[in-house]
Amino acid sequence: MTPLVLDGPVLPLIALIWPLVLGLAAALPAIRTHAITLLPLAPLPALLLALVAMTGAGSGAETVVGFVLLGVVLGQPPLGMLLLGMTAFLWLAAGVYAVAYMRSARRPAVFTGFWCLTLAGNLGVFLAQDIITFYVAFAAVSLAAYVLVVEAASKEALRAGRIYLTLAVLGEACLLAGFTIGAAAADTLRIEDMRAALPQAPLGGLAGWLLLAGFGLKAGLVPLHIWLPLAHPVAPTPASAVLSGAIVKAGVIGLILFLPPGTGLAGVLVTAGLFGAFAAALYGLSQANPKAILAYSTISQMGLVMALIGAALTAGSGMEQAGFYAFHHGLAKAALFLSVGVVAGAAGGRRVAALGLAALAALSVAGAPLSGGALVKAAGKPVLAGGAGATAEMLMTISGITTTLLLGWFLIRLSREATPEGKHSAGRSDWRLWAPVLALSLGAVLLPWGLWSDWSGGLGPDYPWRGTTLLAAAWPVATGLAAGLLANWRGLVMPRLPTGDLAPMLERAVLTTIRQAERADTARRSLAQKTVTSPLPRSLGNQTGQLVARLEAALGQWRWSGLAALVLILVLAGFM
Amino acid sequence: MTAALPVLILFSSLIASLVTFFLPQTAHGTRNALNLGCALLKLGMVAFMLGEVAQGTIYEMRLPLAPGLDLLLRIDALSLLFVTLSAFLWLLTTIYAIAYFGTKPELSRFFGFFSLCVAATTGLAMAGNLISFFIFYELLTLSTWPLVIHKQDRASLAAGRSYLTFSLPGSAALLVAILWLESATGPIEFALPADLRAHGDASLRMIFALFIAGLGVKAALVPLHGWLPAAMAAPAPVSALLHAVAVVKAGAFGIVRVIYDVFGIALVEELRVGIVLAALAAVTIIWGSLRALQQTEVKKRLAFSTVSQVAYIVLGAALAGPFAVIGGLVHLVHQGLMKITLFFCAGVYQECADISEIRQLDGIGARMPLTSLCFSLGALGMIGIPPMAGFVSKFYLGVGGVQSGAAWVVAVLVASSLLNSAYFLPLLYRIWFRPVPVEGGSSGPRATPPGILWPPVITAAAALAVGLFAASAFSPLAWATLIVEREYLP
């Protein structure tokens, strides 16, 4: 326990509290109906913090709030600040977009409140230096986002929300178990101490796997990704953008901060990540909804990020480049999601311009030469080569082909979207819809240039201009474009497959089990009423349920309970 | 003057009780003023003592009953944890009960026994030796029965019968345990750990088992928990008190006393009874959650949830590592705040919207937002979602389990959290996301009287605050840490 009440810079604290204050303010009757207009204000202190820290002033200082939670410690590590800045910028852009887009929100105050809570959590994971603060922030970003997912209240949205929440809760449980084991081993609550203590700790290996599962779930690690293609598309467009651009990065920072070095987990991350990078891109080609295609692209790109994290874990350096890659992906993916709403509502020249912006962001994600995406890939490849071998590096290069195909398919589907989009389509030429897409697309393409010298791992200012670099960036995109054109010309399209790939199957299995249990319950009730019922199919599940209920009924009678008490006494006394 | 504080605190409830018995049913104003006044007075005295005890003061008051038999009241940090919780929640429950009952019949009987029940709980918390503990434990058993059967309908009477059938044998077991133990050692005071080695290992284990069986009835350890869900027939304020402070906590508190102040950690470890008790608590945690999942009534689900959650306290005490004990003790307070919130809200739903079944909760969030918000906070806290209070308990218990070499505790906690989510989240989904059912003629919920609206708001806010500010010097966590540092660490 820290005796200090408050120590260190206050800006990190303000960055977290400010969105919460706005979220609460949204509930005030005077503000309630226009609450959405508060959204762009929420990430401003965090953006300021990131800019100040990135320019070097005050970096490294820690903020300690001794009386909150179990002692909150906030820090400003460079990698955290890079992702914090990206996250704040993205939420700002999406917030501006939402002001125009969400005009007819069903419950503006509720949406605003949970938007702000999710934002605070999302910022918190980059600032937290102790396990508990991190856990609280992670829970906030993870669970509060449920309300953003189900905003439409449609049947698909509620279904996606159910799956999202179930897996989010499972993920939280994994993290709680992992953190508990880690904290017991470390004997302090600091994240770096726990990370250092885990490899030698009893059950440290188990804790590592639990953390991998908990964070992997959030980051869309295949096969824990199944909620992602369901949840990201059903949310309102600005919420999709933050989900796919920023919220998945909470999982990324978790993996970066917590996974202990020198375990088999690094190899798992590389393998699963690279597998996901290709599998998700190919599966995405079977989707018709542009937002679902983007969701699969997110899984694919996050696969590459996680492969980079795995390689950096093995090599002992290179996490910065993994973060750099995630930085670019966040901006570009948010631009792509937001462009969906703009394109769908525009016609004629405006529509072409919007598609152009989307294409710009898409090219950057694919890593076209001289784009921001090419830079982050160029920075990442040596890390992958060093930590996971030349094959992994080659696979990352080749993934440019599948990414080009996938995002090309996205652009085709997007251009075929009918106009207008729907009830949210008021104010099509609204600058608040255009400016965020423009800012994010340009940011994705240009910002990595500004960050190159600090985040490329010392590759030198001329590295992006070298012939080999340009060629390595150009050929996958060119190949992808050629393959796409060829497929288009031959009329080849992927068959339509269900969104969420494994999810519908699992969902059916779970629902069947629940129905059986319910049927067993009904059967038990009717038996209890001594009515004759037809014999019901029995499964292990309903038998167990009946057994529990019968045992309980017996324990409710005093003679059985008394007997149980006697047995208990004897067991307690005798067995030991 | 201050030396008499333990007696004054006990009398504040006792006098309220005795006077209330003789007030006529129609004297609503006098009765309410008396009960509220005494509750406030008690809370004031407790607040004063908190400061003193934090400085290291210990209050003691000895009244000889018979030669060699003293009634000993002693206030140390552990007693005060429980006394503070009961004093705070007594005040709120009194406010709630006054608004809940209004001018219904038999209120003098109700409030008389209600105060007596609180007096018994307070006495039990302050008891300084085994025989005093037993006296108040019995007083609690008897004073709770009229509250359980208050409605005097068939369900209540059956619940009351079930309560006594479980409690009286439990009391007998406790008495046998005390007599057996003291037959060889003489009277045992909590502050002066006696040498129990006059007994052999086998006898000590048997005595320990009898203690657990006797106290386990009130703490609702499986398989001795059958009375608790049945007691749901009682009115809402009684359920709230029963589940948060009075009865189940008395059992759990007694188990803590027996482990730490009668047997001592070293002996419990030597006899290897701690790990068996921990296993029993683990079974209770899972069993209670599974049964909660199967309930279709709001209050029944909450009742089985109590079975599960109170076992956390026993688990923490049985594991005996410092973190586990802190987790268990702090859960005594945390569970109390969260569960009383849930029962208060369930009572509001019942009174103002006639909701008793879970399926009737659909869309109630939009119509009763404040109550539903409190209910949600309580439920999220029970699941262990930070920063609500529950996560602090779970984290400490888990860390304590690992440190005591019982890492399976983490698995139990995770399973319990998942089960808690499985039986609470569907309720929240119904409350906030389901549309209001369209039934002809229903005119929506009635206005909620402020007296039953605000107590859950206060307890929910408290449950949030004790988690959010857990590291502050005035949190239950700080107090539990102080207890463990002062009393159980060499």
Side-chain angles (χ1 to χ4, degrees), chain B residues 77-86 88-89 243-245 249 252-253 309 313 326-341 382 389-390 393 459 462-463 466-467 474-480 483:
Chain B
L78 176 60
S79 342
L80 202 54
L81 181 81
F82 195 23
V83 172
T84 311
L85 178 74
S86 73
F88 176 58
L89 295 186
H243 283 263
V245 227
K249 288 297 169 58
F253 180 80
Q309 293 276 340
I313 304 167
I326 294 175
L329 288 178
V330 83
H331 203 57
L332 193 89
V333 178
H334 289 171
Q335 190 269 353
L337 291 173
M338 296 186 291
K339 192 42 73 65
I340 207 165
T341 307
M382 283 291 178
S393 323
T459 52
V466 294
F474 309 102
S475 69
L477 180 67
W479 195 263
I483 294 173

Side-chain angles (χ1 to χ4, degrees), chain A residues 430-569:
Chain A
D430 198 322
W431 68 270
R432 287 169 297 193
L433 294 178
W434 282 85
V437 181
L438 187 69
L440 287 166
S441 297
L442 292 180
V445 174
L446 299 178
L447 283 178
W449 285 98
L451 296 164
W452 175 259
S453 59
D454 288 337
W455 294 90
S456 62
L459 288 176
D462 64 325
Y463 189 86
W465 298 97
R466 280 188 205 156
T468 46
T469 318
L470 291 173
L471 186 65
W475 75 260
V477 178
T479 315
L481 283 175
L485 285 174
L486 189 69
N488 204 29
W489 174 58
R490 304 284 309 189
L492 289 176
V493 278
M494 284 276 281
R496 294 284 172 274
L497 296 172
T499 307
D501 47 284
L502 298 171
M505 221 161 62
L506 282 173
E507 195 187 9
R508 221 169 303 139
V510 171
L511 286 179
T512 315
T513 318
I514 291 176
R515 292 221 179 90
Q516 277 176 350
E518 278 173 357
R519 227 181 289 152
D521 199 44
T522 324
R524 185 179 54 76
R525 275 156 198 273
S526 39
L527 272 178
Q529 290 160 5
K530 303 221 161 111
T531 50
V532 184
T533 47
S534 59
L536 283 153
R538 293 206 159 190
S539 71
L540 189 67
N542 73 34
Q543 278 177 350
T544 325
Q546 283 183 342
L547 188 69
V548 169
R550 261 190 219 147
L551 265 172
E552 178 72 26
L555 287 175
Q557 291 178 324
W558 66 268
R559 51 181 87 76
W560 295 112
S561 185
L563 185 67
L566 282 179
V567 172
L568 178 69
I569 292 173

Side-chain angles (χ1 to χ4, degrees), chain A residues 283-358:
Chain A
Y283 197 91
L285 289 171
S286 71
Q287 301 299 305
N289 175 359
K291 283 165 97 180
I293 301 172
L294 288 182
Y296 275 102
S297 161
T298 295
I299 300 172
S300 167
Q301 291 297 308
M302 296 310 287
L304 292 175
V305 173
M306 284 185 273
L308 281 171
I309 293 173
L313 260 183
T314 313
S317 70
M319 279 303 177
E320 290 79 11
Q321 284 69 50
F324 195 29
Y325 198 103
F327 170 86
H328 168 265
H329 171 257
L331 298 176
K333 189 50 59 66
L336 287 169
F337 264 107
L338 294 183
S339 76
V340 174
V342 178
V343 169
R350 284 219 178 93
R351 193 175 171 95
V352 175
L355 277 168
L357 280 180

